[in-house]
Every structure is written in C-alpha cells, then in structure tokens.
Amino acid sequence: MSNLSKLEFVALDISGKNYLSWVLDAEIHLAAKGLGNTITQGNEASSQDKAKAMIFLRHHLDEGLKIEYLTVKDPLELWTGLKERYDHLKATVLPRTRYEWMHLRLQDFKTVSEYNSAVFRITSQLKLCGEVMNDEDLLEKTLTTFHASNMVLQQQYREKGFKSILN
C-alpha cells in the first residue's frame, strides 16, 4: 500500500543511516506544527496532539520500523525508543567526519564551489554530532590547506583580516 500524502522529508531508514538528519527534520516539523512538546519529557500534551504527532512520526518511518513500533502509541515513547536504537551512530559518524575534516584540502578540489560544498557537508555532520565549527575554524582550515605555491596568497588573505570564508 503506498502513502497517499507526500513526505515533508526523507523517512527514517531502518539502518539508521539518516537518523541524525531525520531527528533534526522531525523536531523542526513538529515544532512548526505546534507539536514539539509531545516528544519532551514530562509534557502535558493533549491526547489529540499526541495522536497528531504519532501520525506524523509514523508517516516518516521506514515500513520495517513502522511494524517494529506498531504497538507504540505515545510519541515520546517512540522518540525515546528510536533515540536508544540509533543515537549511538554519533559514535561512528563523528570519528569518520573528524577524519574527513582533518584530511580536507582545497587543492584536492577542481573548484572552490566543490570545496565549499565539502566544507559545509562536513561541518553540518560535525554540528549534528555536537561539535560546532566557527567561522575562524573554517577560515583557518581553508588557509592552511592552500597549496605550497600559494603561500604568498595565504599571507595576503591573513593580512586582509578576513573573518569568514564567505567574504
């Protein structure tokens, strides 16, 4: 049986590979619908709001997960169950993402646009794992990965006093 209504974001895969981004999307959408409190501890949400939140969350689950959590009727219980099941993924994503950050070099990309895309993808993953990169970190990473033949250019950028890679 196919879903008749369109998903607002990608459903949570049973493997959990998209759990970190799914959690963020789910929290944002629930808050936008006025249902964000249904997944917080000690909430006093109405049964109608809990039902709406459950419908929304189940709609954004893989079919296998829907079956596994078929008897769960409380959105907080579902949210907690999924967190216990997948939150450990941060422990696997974080080291890989740190490795990517450490080995990221401007010279490995054909265009600055491709480099920027990789920088923002990696920093987003770091942020989802609880590590925040500030503008100075991004700028320093970019400047220190200039090819050796561009050291003068690196010095000039430093002297100009840029505060962000978006300047």
Side-chain angles (χ1 to χ4, degrees):
M1 187 168 146
S2 66
N3 287 332
L4 298 176
S5 59
K6 189 178 173 203
L7 294 176
E8 285 87 348
F9 54 93
V10 178
L12 176 59
D13 188 78
I14 197 162
S15 70
K17 67 182 178 191
N18 65 333
Y19 174 73
L20 296 175
S21 60
W22 181 88
V23 164
L24 185 62
D25 288 338
E27 286 175 332
I28 291 168
H29 279 81
L30 285 171
K33 294 176 180 293
L35 302 171
N37 66 331
T38 60
I39 57 170
T40 58
Q41 203 66 13
N43 73 71
E44 295 183 16
S46 69
S47 57
Q48 185 177 14
D49 282 350
K50 287 181 180 182
K52 287 178 187 176
M54 276 303 291
I55 290 167
F56 178 80
L57 290 172
R58 287 183 50 78
H59 184 66
H60 291 86
L61 293 179
D62 177 87
E63 289 301 319
L65 286 171
K66 284 182 188 176
I67 292 167
E68 285 186 45
Y69 292 94
L70 188 63
T71 59
V72 177
K73 294 182 179 178
D74 185 287
L76 177 59
E77 186 180 339
L78 175 61
W79 191 260
T80 304
L82 293 171
K83 182 176 176 64
E84 289 171 359
R85 180 178 181 149
Y86 295 118
D87 207 39
H88 72 280
L89 292 175
K90 288 180 182 178
T92 58
V93 170
L94 186 57
R96 185 184 73 236
T97 307
R98 283 181 180 156
Y99 177 85
E100 287 180 29
W101 177 254
M102 189 182 320
H103 292 90
L104 181 70
R105 299 179 321 162
L106 180 62
Q107 67 192 37
D108 292 339
F109 296 87
K110 291 180 182 177
T111 66
V112 172
S113 177
E114 289 175 9
Y115 172 77
N116 282 343
S117 180
V119 165
F120 291 121
R121 178 186 56 78
I122 292 169
T123 56
S124 291
Q125 286 179 327
L126 288 169
K127 191 180 290 185
L128 286 172
C129 292
E131 289 194 11
V132 179
M133 294 289 190
N134 59 35
D135 285 341
E136 290 87 26
D137 295 330
L138 300 179
L139 185 59
E140 187 61 25
K141 179 64 172 179
T142 302
L143 293 177
T144 57
T145 63
F146 275 23
H147 190 271
S149 64
N150 291 327
M151 284 304 180
V152 172
L153 186 58
Q154 183 191 84
Q155 269 183 309
Q156 290 173 341
Y157 279 124
R158 286 186 192 282
E159 288 173 9
K160 275 284 194 190
F162 287 107
K163 301 291 181 205
S164 168
I165 64 171
L166 299 176
N167 289 350

